[in-house]
């Protein structure tokens, strides 16, 4: 699962990118009030990994479910990109590279 603030730009972009990769089941959500898809305990439990854009998103998830700490990876992608912005896609691919290599999926990502 990919998480940002409002689930408008960063996490939906990541969801679209990685949904295309065979072997990945992906969702996205937001931690802010009024998020398009709000983070819930059920979504956190569904996820094997929770990739958050910033540390503040990690803190918000841990308030919902303190036991999720082992699932969370912080990508350190600031809130200055719009949905599907090419620079955002490059940064997501770069930051996800260590995890994708584990699954040998990097070369399958478009």
């Amino acid at each position: 699962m990919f998480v940002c603030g409002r689930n408008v730009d960063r996490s939906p972009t990541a969801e679209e990118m990685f949904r295309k990769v065979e072997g990945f089941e992906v969702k996205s959500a937001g931690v802010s009030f009024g998020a398009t898809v709000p983070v819930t305990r059920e979504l956190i439990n569904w996820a094997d990994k929770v990739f958050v854009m910033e540390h503040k998103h990690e803190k918000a998830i841990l308030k919902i479910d303190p036991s999720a700490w082992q699932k969370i990876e912080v990508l350190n992608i600031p809130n200055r990109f719009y949905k599907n912005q090419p620079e955002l896609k490059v940064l997501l691919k770069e930051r996800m590279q260590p995890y994708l290599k584990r699954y040998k999926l990097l070369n399958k990502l478009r």
Side-chain angles (χ1 to χ4, degrees), residues 46-103:
W46 169 85
D48 292 326
K49 279 285 189 195
V50 179
F51 296 99
V52 300
M53 301 298 157
E54 301 176 62
H55 284 285
K56 65 183 177 181
H57 306 137
E58 175 184 34
K59 290 177 185 175
I61 288 171
L62 292 175
K63 284 183 181 178
I64 297 168
D65 185 356
S67 69
W69 64 269
Q70 74 278 5
K71 293 182 174 189
I72 300 172
E73 299 290 343
V74 181
L75 298 176
N76 290 310
I77 298 177
N79 187 17
R80 65 171 184 241
F81 300 100
Y82 56 85
K83 188 174 181 182
N84 293 320
Q85 183 176 347
E87 295 85 356
L88 173 58
K89 289 182 171 189
V90 167
L91 197 52
L92 281 164
K93 187 174 177 180
E94 174 188 293
R95 299 288 165 84
M96 287 297 295
Q97 186 173 7
Y99 310 103
L100 293 171
K101 279 187 175 180
R102 261 186 240 155
Y103 300 102

Side-chain angles (χ1 to χ4, degrees), residues 8-69:
V8 172
D9 294 314
R10 293 172 291 173
S11 58
T13 298
E15 179 181 7
E16 286 179 21
M17 286 176 64
F18 295 98
R19 175 178 10 160
K20 300 172 187 174
V21 179
E22 187 178 333
F24 255 31
E25 188 176 346
V26 180
K27 295 181 181 183
S28 67
V31 295
S32 298
F33 178 78
T36 305
V37 176
V39 171
T40 62
R41 184 178 297 273
E42 291 76 25
L43 280 173
I44 295 167
N45 289 334
W46 169 85
D48 292 326
K49 279 285 189 195
V50 179
F51 296 99
V52 300
M53 301 298 157
E54 301 176 62
H55 284 285
K56 65 183 177 181
H57 306 137
E58 175 184 34
K59 290 177 185 175
I61 288 171
L62 292 175
K63 284 183 181 178
I64 297 168
D65 185 356
S67 69
W69 64 269

